Amino acid sequence: MTISHLKTAKPEAERAEDDARVRATVEATLADIEGRGDAAVAELSAKFDGVSRPSFRLTQSEIEAAMAKVSARNMEDIRFAQTQIRRFAEAQRASMTDIEIETLPGVILGHKNIPVQSVGCYVPGGKFPMVASAHMSVLTATVAGVPRIVASAPPHKGEPHPAIVAAMHLGGAHEIYVLGGIQAVGAMAIGTETIEPVHMLVGPGNAFVAEAKRQLYGRVGIDLFAGPTETMVIADDTVDAELCATDLLGQAEHGYNSPAALITNSRRLAEDTIAEVDRLLAILPTAETAATSWHDYGEVILCDTHEEMLQVANDMSYEHVQVMTDRDDWYLQEMHSYGALFLGPRTNVANGDKVIGTNHTLPTKKAGRYTGGLWVGKFLKTHSYQRITSDEAATQIGEYGSRLCILEGFVGHAEQCNIRVRRYGGRNVPYGVAAE
């Protein structure tokens, strides 16, 4: 077994230092929002977004004015994308059914899937206006039946971004705010004098937004830790370097700290891809960002076998995993830790990001080991219930429950069972003693 790195990323120690600085900034900012409410949010917006407004919530007339600026072609494209995303989300929702069964005569157990009652959807828009993120969060929450959907995105050139506002509105948002970064997620989760707090936060964002969600978790629910985007290409010699390099840089342009990794068993492909990345960076308009990510966070890992490639990929647990090999279905069967798979050379991560129908809010930083991405089920809580409909069932379950409670030393618990055995079973069970 031989696994070698032809290109390595920034050492973990340096990444940890970056994370610590972000963590301290976020902690102080959230404390300021909690202490000063709207005043803190307004100062942060003026400082980081360059916008001051008497209210950060858009009025209906402002929403209509923003949407009027969207071209007919762009509006058509937004509607097409939302149709694809809605279809898949509706199919996912249909797969989640309420159940009720009779496990013993007279013993009824069930569960119900109940929507979260309010959700805050963050849509990034600093460097790039992430119109698609509105579909992925707002629209999916609508399909789930969430009764209050709050959406927020930073301003673009001092104004609400028209296409983002259109996507939020068409997706079903009930409240739309022009706020970015920590101040947006902090205001939605903590609440201010004018913004009612939500029960759950969803959506991707930069390192500061991801850290804010991490610190707010517990006060509110979150979808997952969706930080700076990650992309992995698993490829063999069935594809060429141009395709691999294009797919790596397509995600590296997201930000200055977007990891991109190639895993291959072909030295020729590995070396050619490194050279091709350099060629493309000379002509890519977003090269400044992409080049920094590739330099600091890019990796090229050479393995001997597909089994080694699989092992490395599962261990890294990247957000986006593009598979282009002679055995794509084998990877689909064997991969267990990732955000989303993109199988074969005909599809790509950008399809998933923008239009194909699957959700693009996905786990990063190895969170794919314990969670999948955002989907309609994230907005639903599965709650169980029980009912006993006969005296015989109340007595039978009560007797077992009584003895098991006494086994653990819980006398008060046992008495909850015993009183039912006495009343519905006519049994004279001494107080604080296990039913026989």
Side-chain angles (χ1 to χ4, degrees), residues 64-356:
E64 292 170 358
M67 293 179 65
K69 297 177 183 177
V70 182
S71 70
R73 180 60 179 270
N74 286 343
M75 192 67 81
E76 177 188 349
D77 290 345
I78 289 170
R79 292 182 187 277
F80 178 85
Q82 290 201 351
T83 297
Q84 312 318 307
I85 293 155
R86 182 181 290 106
R87 284 174 178 167
F88 191 58
E90 287 174 345
Q92 290 180 311
R93 178 64 184 91
S95 75
M96 301 180 66
T97 57
D98 296 350
I99 63 169
E100 183 174 283
I101 63 169
E102 190 171 23
T103 56
L104 290 169
V107 177
I108 309 298
L109 307 181
H111 78 222
K112 293 181 63 179
N113 294 297
I114 302 173
V116 173
Q117 293 301 287
S118 60
V119 63
C121 302
Y122 183 70
V123 177
K127 184 176 288 293
F128 301 106
M130 297 281 285
V131 178
S133 287
H135 317 325
M136 305 299 175
S137 56
V138 175
L139 178 58
T140 309
T142 297
V143 172
V146 177
R148 177 178 175 240
I149 303 170
V150 181
S152 187
H156 184 72
K157 297 180 180 178
E159 299 290 337
H161 191 281
I164 289 180
V165 173
M168 289 173 168
H169 181 72
L170 294 174
H174 303 106
E175 301 169 28
I176 298 176
Y177 292 84
V178 55
L179 278 173
I182 307 171
Q183 59 270 27
V185 294
M188 289 190 289
I190 297 169
T192 71
E193 298 91 330
T194 60
I195 302 174
E196 182 183 347
V198 298
H199 296 171
M200 184 180 186
L201 285 174
V202 302
N206 62 19
F208 292 94
V209 169
E211 175 60 21
K213 287 171 64 179
R214 189 191 70 80
Q215 292 188 22
L216 290 163
Y217 178 58
R219 178 191 289 260
V220 295
I222 65 170
D223 48 357
L224 61 150
F225 299 121
T229 194
E230 303 164 343
T231 197
M232 173 184 291
V233 174
I234 299 175
D236 58 20
D237 55 12
T238 60
V239 292
D240 58 63
E242 182 184 24
L243 202 58
C244 294
T246 299
D247 287 341
L248 291 168
L249 292 179
Q251 294 300 302
E253 73 175 359
H254 258 287
Y256 295 111
N257 55 351
S258 300
L262 170 66
I263 302 175
T264 183
N265 56 1
S266 167
R267 176 173 289 275
R268 177 179 177 181
L269 180 64
E271 293 173 346
D272 288 352
T273 298
I274 292 173
E276 184 67 11
V277 165
D278 290 339
R279 185 186 74 83
L280 291 176
L281 284 174
I283 59 175
L284 183 67
T286 54
E288 179 187 359
T289 305
T292 301
S293 280
W294 179 247
H295 178 269
D296 290 345
Y297 294 92
E299 294 186 72
V300 176
I301 302 171
L302 180 63
C303 302
D304 282 342
T305 67
H306 282 281
E307 287 74 17
E308 289 176 358
M309 292 161 65
L310 175 69
Q311 174 190 328
V312 172
N314 275 326
D315 181 63
M316 293 175 71
S317 305
Y318 264 31
E319 177 188 16
H320 305 103
V321 180
Q322 173 88 34
V323 181
M324 298 182 289
T325 69
D326 62 6
R327 59 197 74 189
D328 298 345
D329 286 341
W330 178 79
Y331 280 96
L332 174 62
Q333 178 180 341
E334 299 296 330
M335 286 285 293
H336 54 67
S337 298
Y338 56 90
L341 290 181
F342 303 82
L343 300 167
R346 291 178 178 82
T347 193
N348 63 84
V349 175
N351 283 349
D353 275 351
K354 310 303 177 189
V355 68
I356 205 166

Side-chain angles (χ1 to χ4, degrees), residues 21-22 24-30 32-33 36 39-53 56 122 125-127 153-159 178-186 206 208-209:
R21 285 191 289 269
V22 169
T25 299
V26 170
E27 185 174 7
T29 304
L30 292 177
D32 191 27
I33 292 171
R36 298 194 300 124
V41 170
E43 288 180 15
L44 290 163
S45 176
K47 179 179 179 180
F48 293 107
D49 293 335
V51 170
S52 297
R53 292 170 53 101
F56 291 96
Y122 183 70
K127 184 176 288 293
H156 184 72
K157 297 180 180 178
E159 299 290 337
V178 55
L179 278 173
I182 307 171
Q183 59 270 27
V185 294
N206 62 19
F208 292 94
V209 169

